[in-house]
Each structure stands twice: as C-alpha cells, then as structure tokens.
C-alpha cells in the first residue's frame, strides 16, 4: 500500500500530472462501460438528421448518415484503445520473452532472435503496419497482428538489455551454486527484475501505437465499418471538413487527449524508475 500511495502522490505531484491522471481514469471508465456514458446506439442510422451540428440532442453532432457522433466517439474508445492495449500486450509477451531468452542465454539464441528482429526493423513502423494490413486485409484481428509485429523489436531490445545486465548479478551466481537450473533462474530470478523495464516500455510505446492504429484506420486498413473507431471516424469526416467540422474534431481531440495522458504517465514512471 505504501508503494501505491507513493506512486499516487507522484501522479498528482503537479497540476498537469493530476489532469492526465484524471483523463486516464475517464478513459478507463469509457473502455469499461461506454453504454453508461452514451446509451445511444453508435450504429443507428437516421438520414433525416444527417450532418447536424452539436446540439442538446446530439452533443457531438451527427455524421453523414445521421449516426450520433457522441455515441460513436465514446464507444470508439473501447475499440481504439482496446485494440492498441491488446496488440501491445501481445507484442510485449512475444518480444519480452524472446529478448529475455536472447539476453540470458546469448550465443545461438541471441543470434537467431536478433536477426529476426533486425528483419522487422528494416521497415518503419507505419510502413510495416500498412504492408501487413494491406496483405491480410482490414479487420480488428489483422490490425492487432500488425501492431503486435511492429513493436516486437522494441520489447525485444529492452528485455534483452535487461537480461544481459541481470545475468551478471551475484544473485544469479548464488542460484546456480544452489543447484537451480538455468531456465528456473531465468524465469524466477531474472524475469521479475526485467519485467518493470518491459512494463515501462509498454507505457512509453502506447501513444506511438495509438497513432499508428489511428493512421491505419484513417487509411481504411483498420476495423471494418460501421464499427466505431477514432481513425475510421476521422477518415469519414475528411470529406466534410469544411461543412461538418465536428465529424473530425471530437475523435481527433480524444486521440490527442489519450495519447498525451499516457505520455505524461510514461514520463512520470520513467523518472521514478531512474531514481531507483
């Protein structure tokens, strides 16, 4: 409890950090219970109410087929942020495990896994995401796969560097002298000390992955319509930017706010980790 209290004090240390912590709490609620905030259906079409500006009835206005943009933006939080969170979780699991094995065992494992990661790194993240989703086709599953593959190298490198440092520690030699196997030492002794590095990397990469997810949705390579997704809503609104500015404003603001809040959280955690 004392560690959680200390972390909470750091998160609310400045007005900016407090604002971002509140934003993260709000987005967590939107992900968990979007229907509680926006009970309207994000799919209901009413052509007679198309392209209506923000009003008391439709807080964020309506799109070109009369769907309520408030409902689509709120429900889009679960889709957009959930896809990014799931993709990075898969990437952290695969990249972190490969990096742990490569860093701890070295030699052949490091060579094989390192070449695999270098092959992925030959493509910029956005290009790699476009190529993967372009080949496999749009859809939530393919989008998650693309994001997961793109960020495997980042988690691999941070886990590898952590394992390289930890395997030289005295506690590893002590565990070997007590007769523990290498796999047991790696998973029970080294992994807990590498895991904070991976978790910190997860938070730092989240805003970047969110940008790529939105970019792929904007290019039509994200989730299939009419699923509410912030990038897809932005793509839909680009044709009405002068006549119906509200179609692009709200998902853009939500993207900006969520990315900024997580970025500030990542910087706070990094500063706390550096002081340890």
């Amino acid at each position: 409890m004392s560690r959680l209290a200390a972390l909470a004090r750091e998160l609310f240390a400045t007005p900016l950090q407090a604002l971002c912590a509140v934003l993260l709490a709000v987005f967590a609620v939107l992900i968990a219970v979007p229907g509680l905030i926006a009970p309207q259906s994000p799919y209901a079409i009413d052509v007679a109410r198309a392209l209506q500006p923000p009003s008391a009835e439709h807080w964020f206005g309506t799109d070109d087929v009369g769907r309520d943009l408030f409902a689509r933006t709120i429900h889009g939080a679960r889709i957009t942020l959930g896809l990014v969170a799931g993709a990075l979780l898969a990437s952290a699991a695969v990249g972190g495990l490969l990096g742990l094995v490569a860093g701890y065992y070295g030699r052949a494992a490091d060579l094989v896994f390192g070449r695999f990661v270098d092959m992925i790194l030959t493509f910029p993240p956005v290009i790699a995401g476009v190529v993967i989703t372009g080949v496999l086709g749009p859809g939530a599953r393919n989008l998650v796969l693309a994001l997961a593959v793109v960020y495997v190298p980042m988690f691999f490198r941070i886990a590898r560097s952590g394992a390289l440092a930890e395997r030289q520690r005295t506690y590893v030699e002590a565990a070997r002298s007590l007769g523990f196997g290498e796999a047991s030492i790696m998973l029970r002794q080294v992994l807990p000390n590498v895991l904070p590095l991976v978790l910190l990397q997860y938070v730092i990469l989240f805003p970047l992955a969110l940008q790529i997810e939105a970019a792929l949705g904007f290019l039509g390579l994200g989730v299939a319509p009419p699923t509410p997704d912030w990038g897809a809503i932005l793509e839909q609104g680009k044709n009405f930017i002068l006549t119906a500015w509200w179609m692009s404003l709200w998902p853009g603001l939500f993207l900006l706010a969520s990315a900024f809040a997580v970025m500030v959280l990542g910087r706070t955690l990094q500063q706390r980790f550096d002081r340890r």
Side-chain angles (χ1 to χ4, degrees), residues 22-95:
V22 172
L23 283 175
L24 290 174
V26 170
F27 283 116
V29 173
L30 296 184
I31 294 172
V33 285
L36 183 65
I37 310 300
Q40 311 95 317
S41 171
Y43 303 100
I45 294 176
D46 187 355
V47 179
R49 298 178 180 271
L51 298 179
Q52 290 190 353
S55 63
E57 185 178 1
H58 301 286
W59 290 359
F60 288 0
T62 61
D63 63 12
D64 57 325
V65 292
R67 290 175 297 201
D68 186 83
L69 280 173
F70 178 73
R72 289 185 64 77
T73 303
I74 297 301
H75 285 264
R78 170 179 285 184
I79 303 298
T80 302
L81 299 178
L83 287 177
V84 173
L88 279 184
L89 184 62
S91 188
V94 175

Side-chain angles (χ1 to χ4, degrees), residues 43-200:
Y43 303 100
I45 294 176
D46 187 355
V47 179
R49 298 178 180 271
L51 298 179
Q52 290 190 353
S55 63
E57 185 178 1
H58 301 286
W59 290 359
F60 288 0
T62 61
D63 63 12
D64 57 325
V65 292
R67 290 175 297 201
D68 186 83
L69 280 173
F70 178 73
R72 289 185 64 77
T73 303
I74 297 301
H75 285 264
R78 170 179 285 184
I79 303 298
T80 302
L81 299 178
L83 287 177
V84 173
L88 279 184
L89 184 62
S91 188
V94 175
L97 181 59
L98 294 180
L100 179 68
V101 173
Y104 184 79
Y105 286 103
R107 298 180 182 178
D110 194 12
L111 180 63
V112 172
F113 295 153
R115 297 297 78 77
F116 169 72
V117 166
D118 290 341
M119 180 180 66
I120 299 176
L121 285 174
T122 57
F123 297 92
V126 175
I127 301 301
V130 169
V131 170
I132 295 172
T133 52
V135 171
L136 299 179
R141 183 177 302 177
N142 295 338
L143 179 60
V144 169
L145 176 61
L147 290 174
V149 171
V150 163
Y151 286 104
V152 161
M154 287 68 168
F155 288 106
F156 173 86
R157 288 188 165 185
I158 196 68
R160 177 182 178 275
S161 63
L164 281 172
E166 292 298 323
R167 74 177 185 179
Q168 308 296 332
R169 303 287 186 183
T170 305
Y171 72 86
V172 174
E173 295 297 331
R176 287 197 185 104
S177 66
L178 291 175
F180 289 98
E182 295 296 331
S184 176
I185 297 173
M186 181 184 69
L187 295 176
R188 295 185 179 182
Q189 307 294 329
V190 177
L191 177 59
N193 293 314
V194 174
L195 192 57
L197 295 173
V198 176
L199 295 177
L200 178 60

